[in-house]
Amino acid sequence: MTAQDFILKSYQTTVENGSVKWESPSNIALVKYWGKKEHQIPENPSISFTLSNCKTITEVTFTKKESEGFSFDVFFEGIKNEAFKPKIQTFFKRIENYVPFLKEYHFKIETSNTFPHSSGIASSASGMSAIALCLMSIEQILTNYSTLDAPDGFYNSTYFKQKASFLARLGSGSACRSVEGTLVVWGNNNTFEGSSDLYGVKYEEEVHSNFQNYQDTILLVDKGEKQVSSTVGHQLMYGHPFAKERFAQAHDNLAKLKTILASGDLEAFVKIVESEALTLHAMMMTSMPYFILMKPNTLEIINKIWAYRLKTDSKVCFTLDAGANVHVLYPENEKASILEFIKTELVSYCQNGHYICDQIGLGANQIEF
Ligand code: PMV
């Protein structure tokens, strides 16, 4: 597929209004995307676990209009929200070519998250993928795609998912990995046939039962606004002294992870995942300007996890996003003991003792009315 293949060429102009609704989850990268080219094309491939409980629920109501330009209102948790509008305006501009009906309707976008807004958890992946999926459902209504050659119907067609992921990517890169589950690869690479820079691809390779229902408990160390936006963060990789090596390393780690996911080698998994998290932060510490996004409590938690692993047989590990919160990853069979460990040893490092229990999930769902 090329970007041209996602341009909607013809559609009905008789539909006056309608409403569609999707819920879409967040995801957590195992091999990190950090650095991009123009048009949200990643500098290196990434792979993520799709989450289950941390979701955005978005309803889009569309009404035919006469005026020119984009017209939309955003409601967050029932309250009109002006702060989200510029991001959506930029998103609409980027995707207009692919969904040309955008200027013909007024959109009421009503959205809410299952996780607290001020939790420091990035809602861009779940939020952008939810809107992208709503737009695809509108595309379906306007094009009457029932004739499309898709055995399970349009929603389940490869085109629907690829284009939803493609649009989501133009909203926020990592959002393209939220449409499906339980593992998604994004970015051209030699390990996975069919991988693409344009959209996320569901991981269809063998996955060992050790990774079934893998757990992710998110420790909220810092619920504040991100110190460095991901746009600024990705830009720091331009001319970064270690960029070339980092991008090559991501390809290597992806290949290694494929073997690990098949064999169920949890010790090797821990090494790749933690190294990826620390490398992401190392890139930020060694860029110009430089940043430290971990907080003292992030380090306390990491040291506690390492100490716990030394004294037990546990395969618990951590990963980080571009912030201070810690994702604690562990196999389902360790759920009881790790939750106990979190409660007794890690909660005190969380802001107001807050953490969120999640696990890997299957991807986005349409909500029928
Ligand atoms: O999708 P963005 O542009 O917000 O970038 C997210 C980058 C990381 O979360 C740090 C890593 C990743 O692959 O999700």
Side-chain angles (χ1 to χ4, degrees):
M1 289 293 251
T2 68
Q4 302 301 315
D5 296 322
F6 292 120
I7 299 176
L8 176 62
K9 305 227 169 49
S10 68
Y11 55 94
Q12 295 177 35
T13 52
T14 49
V15 181
E16 285 297 319
N17 53 53
S19 212
V20 293
K21 192 170 182 177
W22 277 84
E23 56 171 34
S24 191
S26 186
N27 68 71
I28 180 69
L30 305 172
V31 172
K32 307 287 180 183
Y33 147 60
W34 199 241
K36 64 178 168 187
K37 302 174 199 159
E38 239 196 319
H39 306 302
Q40 308 272 98
I41 297 299
E43 287 277 13
N44 67 259
S46 58
I47 182 169
S48 51
F49 275 150
T50 304
L51 295 182
S52 181
N53 301 333
C54 289
K55 290 183 290 207
T56 297
I57 299 145
T58 299
E59 178 172 348
V60 176
T61 304
F62 55 104
T63 317
K64 194 97 180 168
K65 69 172 177 71
E66 294 302 326
S67 59
E68 286 178 9
F70 299 127
S71 168
F72 61 91
D73 288 316
V74 187
F75 293 80
F76 180 66
E77 283 165 3
I79 297 164
K80 203 164 182 174
N81 188 304
E82 296 299 325
F84 288 167
K85 285 188 90 171
K87 221 176 166 185
I88 294 179
Q89 179 83 17
T90 307
F91 178 47
F92 276 13
K93 268 195 216 140
R94 281 190 197 151
I95 63 172
E96 190 195 353
N97 196 20
Y98 306 101
V99 275
F101 53 82
L102 278 187
K103 282 189 175 150
E104 286 170 36
Y105 291 92
H106 172 78
F107 297 95
K108 182 180 182 196
I109 303 168
E110 293 169 278
T111 186
S112 60
N113 295 332
T114 56
F115 48 90
H117 180 54
S118 56
S119 59
I121 297 189
S123 56
S124 59
S126 54
M128 285 299 175
S129 54
I131 302 189
L133 284 154
C134 287
L135 292 174
M136 283 310 294
S137 286
I138 298 173
E139 175 171 324
Q140 176 182 31
I141 294 169
L142 301 189
T143 47
N144 204 355
Y145 260 117
S146 52
T147 52
L148 196 89
D149 181 21
D152 302 324
F154 186 60
Y155 297 134
N156 292 321
S157 71
T158 306
Y159 171 78
F160 185 95
K161 286 182 180 150
Q162 281 181 349
K163 185 165 173 184
S165 173
F166 172 88
L167 296 176
R169 184 197 99 241
L170 291 167
S172 168
S174 60
C176 78
R177 297 188 313 238
S178 277
V179 172
E180 295 187 271
T182 51
L183 282 149
V184 176
V185 174
W186 169 41
N188 276 334
N189 64 82
N190 293 330
T191 306
F192 298 100
E193 214 184 305
S195 58
S196 173
D197 280 347
L198 299 178
Y199 45 81
V201 176
K202 184 179 157 80
Y203 191 88
E204 301 281 12
E205 311 288 327
E206 184 190 350
V207 178
H208 193 278
S209 60
N210 280 352
F211 297 103
Q212 215 175 351
N213 297 329
Y214 222 71
Q215 303 291 304
D216 179 4
T217 302
I218 309 160
L219 307 183
L220 306 179
V221 172
D222 182 12
K223 302 194 212 170
E225 278 283 302
K226 275 195 192 173
Q227 193 188 323
V228 182
S229 73
S230 56
T231 311
V232 171
H234 291 292
Q235 274 165 9
L236 297 174
M237 291 307 282
Y238 285 114
H240 191 293
F242 307 133
K244 205 166 143 241
E245 291 79 0
R246 162 58 199 155
F247 301 145
Q249 179 198 41
H251 282 268
D252 281 356
N253 281 345
L254 193 67
K256 287 182 186 146
L257 208 54
K258 181 181 171 186
T259 313
I260 293 166
L261 289 169
S263 69
D265 183 346
L266 291 172
E267 268 161 37
F269 178 81
V270 165
K271 284 187 188 139
I272 298 266
V273 169
E274 292 191 345
S275 165
E276 275 289 321
L278 294 176
T279 301
L280 169 71
H281 282 253
M283 289 300 112
M284 282 178 250
M285 290 188 207
T286 50
S287 57
M288 196 56 80
Y290 41 81
F291 298 94
I292 300 180
L293 299 187
M294 288 187 238
K295 297 281 182 211
N297 282 352
T298 312
L299 279 178
E300 294 284 357
I301 291 168
I302 291 173
N303 281 317
K304 287 274 180 189
I305 289 173
W306 286 347
Y308 183 82
R309 260 208 325 260
L310 266 186
K311 73 170 192 252
T312 65
D313 212 17
S314 175
K315 302 294 182 282
V316 65
C317 71
F318 70 86
T319 189
L320 308 165
D321 268 341
N325 295 335
V326 182
H327 288 249
V328 183
L329 301 178
Y330 48 99
E332 192 182 27
N333 65 8
E334 291 194 39
K335 193 169 171 177
S337 50
I338 296 297
L339 284 177
E340 191 52 34
F341 161 59
I342 289 172
K343 276 184 209 145
T344 53
E345 295 199 45
L346 304 183
V347 160
S348 56
Y349 301 114
C350 300
Q351 215 178 333
N352 306 324
H354 281 171
Y355 61 93
I356 297 174
C357 293
D358 211 335
Q359 61 176 30
I360 62 176
L362 297 172
N365 288 307
Q366 185 169 31
I367 302 171
E368 305 287 348
F369 293 99

